């Protein structure tokens, strides 16, 4: 089954507001773009047919173009509606992969792991959210991102009588929203663009990072 990946991106002036007490607006923008680049780099090496960035942000379009992603201009004011918009032309025989733009430790092999399953595959976030979702495009999937989305997506799969596969990936358990998430990102093995920025920001601000 072919996989069509969708990466939704907020307008960067609104991104990562919960980090505002630790990072200024320019730093939050830099971090958001670095994370997007890391996610797209991983997806570009994974077994997908197409990746699409849906956003209203011109800087996100530039990063998408640099990684060979298609661009959809977000015409909505809601994440789930934006995903429906981006998925509108996905063939019914394909699967849709939703990857948030703030999981910079995504690896190509993570996508391969999810794609080896049938039905619906999900990677849960530590806060009850969904950090990866792979679902069949046939008959239109109902996107339920938001509070407790992991449980709601599992319920939607059961409602449709589809097998549910929970793929727990510790390096994807957090999206980067709070200062604790930023410190966690800096502590993880690896050297992605977002990790380099996180370490730079934290060291500059005097944070002590356990290596």
């Amino acid at each position: 089954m072919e996989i069509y990946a969708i990466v939704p991106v907020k307008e960067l002036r609104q991104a990562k507001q919960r980090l505002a007490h630790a990072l200024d607006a320019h730093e939050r923008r830099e971090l958001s773009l670095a994370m997007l680049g890391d996610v797209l780099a991983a997806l570009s090496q994974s077994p997908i047919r197409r990746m699409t960035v849906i956003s209203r942000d011109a800087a996100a379009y530039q990063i998408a173009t640099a990684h060979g992603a298609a661009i959809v201009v977000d015409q909505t004011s809601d994440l789930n509606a934006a995903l429906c918009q981006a998925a509108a032309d996905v063939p019914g025989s394909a699967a849709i992969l939703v990857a948030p733009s703030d999981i910079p430790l995504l690896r190509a092999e993570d996508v391969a792991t999810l794609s080896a399953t049938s039905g619906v595959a999900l990677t849960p976030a530590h806060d009850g959210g969904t950090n990866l979702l792979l679902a069949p495009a046939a008959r239109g999937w109902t996107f339920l991102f938001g509070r407790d989305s992991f449980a709601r997506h599992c319920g939607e799969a059961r409602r449709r009588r589809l097998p549910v596969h929970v793929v727990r990936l510790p390096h994807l358990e957090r999206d980067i929203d709070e200062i604790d998430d930023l410190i966690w990102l800096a502590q993880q093995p690896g050297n992605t663009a977002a990790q380099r920025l996180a370490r730079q920001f934290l060291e500059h601000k005097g944070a002590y990072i356990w290596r």
Side-chain angles (χ1 to χ4, degrees), residues 97-113:
L97 174 71
V98 179
S101 63
D102 57 357
I103 50 169
L105 300 186
L106 178 67
R107 305 167 186 163
E109 53 264 38
D110 300 331
V111 179
T113 297

Side-chain angles (χ1 to χ4, degrees), residues 45-104:
Q45 299 298 316
S46 71
I48 62 172
R49 176 70 176 82
R50 185 185 74 189
M51 58 182 177
T52 298
V53 169
I54 182 164
S55 182
R56 294 177 182 163
D57 197 282
Y61 301 158
Q62 292 177 344
I63 297 291
T65 300
H67 287 87
I71 296 168
V72 174
V73 178
D74 187 359
Q75 303 292 339
T76 76
S77 58
D78 172 79
L79 170 58
N80 293 310
L83 292 170
C84 288
Q85 180 191 341
D89 69 341
V90 175
S93 60
I96 297 167
L97 174 71
V98 179
S101 63
D102 57 357
I103 50 169

Side-chain angles (χ1 to χ4, degrees), residues 106-137:
L106 178 67
R107 305 167 186 163
E109 53 264 38
D110 300 331
V111 179
T113 297
L114 267 68
S115 67
T117 65
S118 60
V120 176
L122 309 96
T123 295
H126 77 291
D127 60 359
T130 307
N131 272 355
L132 282 179
L133 169 67
L134 182 67

Side-chain angles (χ1 to χ4, degrees), residues 49 102 141 149 169 173:
R49 176 70 176 82
D102 57 357
W141 176 260
S149 68
L169 299 168
E173 67 181 8

